[in-house]
Amino acid sequence: MKRINVTQQNYRVLTALQNDEQLGRIVYTKWYSNNRADIYINENTTYRLVPRGFWQTTLEVFKEETSLLTVKSKFSGFTITKTIDPDRPYYFKSKGIFKKGYALMNYKNEMLFEITSNFSWKKMYPGFTIYCQDNFGNEDIEKLLIMLSVHFYRTVQNAAAASAGV
């Protein structure tokens, strides 16, 4: 199994590293927005996350001006509905009752990878650890799915922190 570590440099930049090699980077465009971000894969491919709808529960992923993925937020998790093959969606679901981690499942209900949080009290930023199969994460679309899972997990953590403060 491959291990990918995601570190947060500041509140707006997260970087995924495997064996000290950068797989991708998420840069949030505004300090107050958790939905708008740019994802960089291999430093030469840029994807944009754009929220849709009044409640912004739908998220589209664009490469240049082409919509590649559509993600719908639900109470049970996130569902990637518009993919390369529309009959084969992906699901981002929690693992267990206490949501210790999350997993990305394919349409056959097979786990592609799992992601867990490892909060750093020293830096006061969350980090993430991703475990995936050795043959997963080599193509750009798979790296994009990994970076999207980091975005989803961060979104869930921020929502939980906001609701705990109420």
Side-chain angles (χ1 to χ4, degrees), residues 88-108:
R88 298 180 177 191
Y90 295 98
Y91 304 99
F92 186 70
K93 295 184 176 183
S94 65
K95 292 182 64 178
I97 297 170
F98 298 108
K99 298 183 181 178
K100 177 134 173 79
Y102 285 83
L104 186 75
M105 315 292 275
N106 64 8
Y107 71 101
K108 296 179 185 175

Side-chain angles (χ1 to χ4, degrees), residues 52-72:
R52 297 282 185 227
F54 180 75
W55 297 107
Q56 297 185 351
T57 56
T58 301
L59 185 72
E60 285 194 72
V61 180
F62 287 93
K63 180 179 181 182
E64 296 169 1
E65 297 300 320
T66 306
S67 176
L68 295 178
L69 303 172
T70 301
V71 182
K72 296 187 181 194

Side-chain angles (χ1 to χ4, degrees), residues 18-38:
Q18 180 192 359
N19 299 331
D20 296 328
E21 179 183 330
Q22 182 174 324
L23 292 179
R25 188 166 46 106
I26 301 175
V27 177
Y28 291 93
T29 55
K30 300 189 184 319
W31 66 271
Y32 57 84
S33 176
N34 287 327
N35 286 338
R36 295 189 182 272
D38 294 327

Side-chain angles (χ1 to χ4, degrees), residues 141-166:
I141 192 72
E142 294 172 346
K143 291 176 184 177
L144 176 63
L145 288 173
I146 289 171
M147 298 309 292
L148 277 174
S149 71
V150 172
H151 169 75
F152 298 153
Y153 202 155
R154 185 176 183 267
T155 301
V156 169
Q157 281 185 331
N158 287 344
S163 66
V166 173

